[in-house]
Every structure is written in structure tokens, then in C-alpha cells.
């Protein structure tokens, strides 16, 4: 595990506990991504510059590494080759939603994020996570730039 992460968490004694925690994390990350993609598109359509949005987000209570990284890539129009391929998040959200369905837990935000990622993967299968923003931008006819 040390080869892939500097922090290792012991999350339980039962087989599968790690997958459950990973699914919870992916649900949160996917939801943050989806909200960031939509906020970026809203700002673009309203004429707000990407740098303004980034400065406010990154210094507010909503600022976090996930949102900041996504927003930086969107502003810089880096939708491929950033090391965060859309296929991985799509797969992780699929696993998370299947587990939630199996144990009877509704995941409203993760389900919405999954639809955003499904659209992104369908239109831009070789893109990175942030390419989902391009799908929304294509619909509204505006792009977020510096």
C-alpha cells in the first residue's frame, strides 16, 4: 500500500470494509466534481472570469483540493492528459451506486454526478474528469476562461 499512498487507513476488520469507505469517498468526490462543473458553466454563461471564480472558491469554506484542481483544469482548458481519466470516476461511481442500491441507500447527489459523468464519458471517452464541463458548456454555448 505504501507504493500507492503516503497515508494508509485501517478502516475495519471485515472483508469489504475498505471498498465501502472507498465508495463513500467516491460518492463525495463525484458530487463535488459535478457541482464544480455546473458552477463553472454558470459562471461562464453569466460572464464571470474563471480566475475570479477560482479565487473566491479557493478562499471560501467551499474551497477544497478536489474543487480547486477541477476548476484550474477547466479554466486552463486541460481536458485530457492530466492523469485523472473520466473512465475511473465513472467506474467508481458505478460501483458506489450498485452497492447503495444493494443495501437500500438512496444516493441523490452521487446519482446526479453519475449522470454528468456518463454524459462526459459518452461524448468525450478519452477525456479527463473535467471534460464533463465541456458537455454543459456545449449545451449553454459558453466556456469558462481566465
Amino acid at each position: 500500500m505504501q507504493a500507492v499512498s503516503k497515508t494508509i487507513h485501517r478502516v475495519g476488520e471485515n472483508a469489504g470494509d475498505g471498498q465501502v469507505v472507498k465508495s463513500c469517498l467516491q460518492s463525495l468526490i463525484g458530487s463535488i466534481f459535478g457541482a464544480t462543473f455546473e458552477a463553472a458553466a454558470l459562471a461562464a454563461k453569466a460572464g464571470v472570469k474563471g480566475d475570479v471564480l477560482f479565487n473566491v472558491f479557493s478562499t471560501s469554506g467551499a474551497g477544497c483540493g478536489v474543487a480547486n484542481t477541477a476548476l484550474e483544469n477547466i479554466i486552463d482548458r486541460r481536458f485530457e492528459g492530466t492523469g485523472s481519466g473520466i473512465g475511473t470516476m465513472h467506474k467508481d461511481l458505478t460501483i458506489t451506486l450498485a452497492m447503495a442500491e444493494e443495501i437500500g441507500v438512496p444516493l441523490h447527489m452521487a446519482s446526479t454526478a453519475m449522470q454528468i459523468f456518463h454524459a462526459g464519458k459518452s461524448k468525450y471517452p478519452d477525456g479527463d474528469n473535467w471534460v464533463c464541463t465541456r458537455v454543459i458548456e456545449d449545451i449553454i454555448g459558453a466556456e469558462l476562461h481566465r
Side-chain angles (χ1 to χ4, degrees):
M1 291 303 299
Q2 291 173 338
V4 295
S5 179
K6 66 180 179 179
T7 305
I8 300 169
H9 298 278
R10 301 222 182 272
V11 298
E13 300 297 321
N14 301 313
D17 287 349
Q19 181 63 44
V20 171
V21 173
K22 183 178 189 296
S23 289
C24 294
L25 181 62
Q26 294 310 110
S27 174
L28 179 60
I29 291 171
S31 298
I32 292 169
F33 276 152
T36 303
F37 304 155
E38 289 184 341
L42 177 62
K45 187 68 172 185
V48 173
K49 296 287 186 192
D51 285 336
V52 171
L53 195 64
F54 180 82
N55 290 336
V56 171
F57 278 21
S58 65
T59 59
S60 76
C64 67
V66 172
N68 295 347
T69 298
L71 200 50
E72 284 177 320
N73 283 305
I74 294 163
I75 293 166
D76 291 338
R77 314 309 290 165
R78 290 188 308 248
F79 296 116
E80 291 183 9
T82 66
S84 191
I86 194 169
T88 302
M89 180 55 72
H90 188 273
K91 170 196 60 82
D92 289 344
L93 285 173
T94 299
I95 291 168
T96 298
L97 291 170
M99 182 187 71
E101 177 70 22
E102 183 179 313
I103 63 175
V105 177
L107 296 181
H108 303 286
M109 303 312 297
S111 295
T112 300
M114 180 63 187
Q115 292 305 308
I116 293 170
F117 276 93
H118 187 65
K121 187 174 183 286
S122 295
K123 186 156 186 184
Y124 302 104
D126 297 323
D128 290 345
N129 290 321
W130 355 105
V131 79
C132 295
T133 306
R134 286 187 63 197
V135 174
I136 302 168
E137 290 175 341
D138 291 347
I139 293 167
I140 66 169
E143 294 180 354
L144 188 65
H145 292 281
R146 289 212 172 272

